[in-house]
Amino acid sequence: MSMMVNPYKIGVATPVAPTVRAANRSVQNTSGTSSGAVSSGSPVSGDLIILHMAHGENLVPGTSITWPSGFTQGGRSQPSRASGAWAWKIATGSEPSTYTVTWSTGNTRSILSCVVVKDHNGFDTASVNSTSYNTNTNASGATTGTTAPCLRLYFYSGGWGAGTLTVTPATTTPACSLVLAGTMTTSGNNTDGAGGYVISKEEPTTTLASISHTISWSGNGTGMHFTAFTIPIKRL
């Protein structure tokens, strides 16, 4: 008779792997100083909520960003054209149905993504990489996290200008999953489309292999905001 052995500690339940509870996105194709309202995804108390914002051109450097109540800005990058930022919070028992982000100066378009992660253990901060590009840079999507097993999340948002962003997940085992995917329809000030993607990858072993997703552009867009996270398992 064979038995399953917990590799962590005899007599202790196997840790629970973090998973995505909900993922939503809002695209604001008309220039302004506010994002569209994105669904919060009905998080429950204790969930990790990540808001990922990408802006088109015209956001004035140093512009203050106002996040919803309780969120902490984790990173921001602003080269001369496209820019981006992200924030996080641990859900309480009374989250609103939607979130909206505003900024003080500079009318611009935006993509706001909201991902809710359950059974998490915070961030492995050594692996958080948040960068904006103002050219059609092909960011590899590789991370150098130090904590595994874990859940890896990759956020890509941008394009606009004369190009549309498309992201194809790498072929891996276990497989990468497209949590959010799609190019945006052209409307408002967004004459050539944009793109917003979130990719997840579960890492059940203690080894973090390099991953390279395929990023392509239909033309020379104004840029994109890329952020990668490693989220450790929840220890019971």
Side-chain angles (χ1 to χ4, degrees), residues 60 66 84 108 122 130 134 190 205 213:
V60 177
T66 301
T108 186
S130 184
N134 57 13
N190 184 14
T205 69
H213 306 298

Side-chain angles (χ1 to χ4, degrees), residues 140 167-177 199 201 210-214:
S140 69
V167 180
T168 303
T171 301
T172 62
T173 303
C176 294
S177 299
I199 299 171
K201 169 70 164 62
S210 176
I211 297 176
S212 294
H213 306 298
T214 301

Side-chain angles (χ1 to χ4, degrees), residues 38-205:
V38 65
S39 172
S40 63
S42 300
V44 302
S45 181
D47 282 351
L48 172 64
I49 308 172
I50 302 173
L51 291 180
H52 187 264
M53 169 70 70
H55 290 107
E57 298 183 79
N58 303 323
L59 189 71
V60 177
T63 295
S64 62
I65 298 176
T66 301
W67 299 95
S69 176
F71 279 86
T72 298
Q73 183 167 290
R76 182 175 179 178
S77 181
Q78 187 169 350
S80 60
R81 298 176 72 183
S83 62
W86 64 276
W88 66 277
K89 75 172 293 187
I90 301 301
T92 65
S94 57
E95 293 298 323
S97 60
T98 62
Y99 299 120
T100 302
V101 177
T102 61
W103 47 97
S104 58
T105 308
N107 288 339
T108 186
R109 299 152 293 175
S110 64
I111 299 173
L112 179 62
S113 300
C114 177
V115 172
V116 178
V117 180
K118 64 179 182 178
D119 298 324
H120 65 92
N121 193 24
F123 296 108
D124 174 10
T125 55
S127 75
V128 175
N129 177 15
S130 184
T131 309
S132 291
Y133 302 90
N134 57 13
T135 60
N136 54 347
T137 302
N138 188 343
S140 69
T143 59
T144 56
T146 57
T147 300
C150 64
L151 175 71
R152 295 206 273 190
L153 289 176
Y154 304 86
F155 290 74
Y156 300 86
S157 294
W160 294 300
T164 298
L165 172 67
T166 303
V167 180
T168 303
T171 301
T172 62
T173 303
C176 294
S177 299
L178 274 172
V179 177
L180 285 175
T183 57
M184 313 305 177
T185 57
T186 59
S187 64
N189 302 102
N190 184 14
T191 57
D192 292 284
Y197 297 80
V198 178
I199 299 171
S200 69
K201 169 70 164 62
E202 291 188 6
E203 294 288 2
T205 69

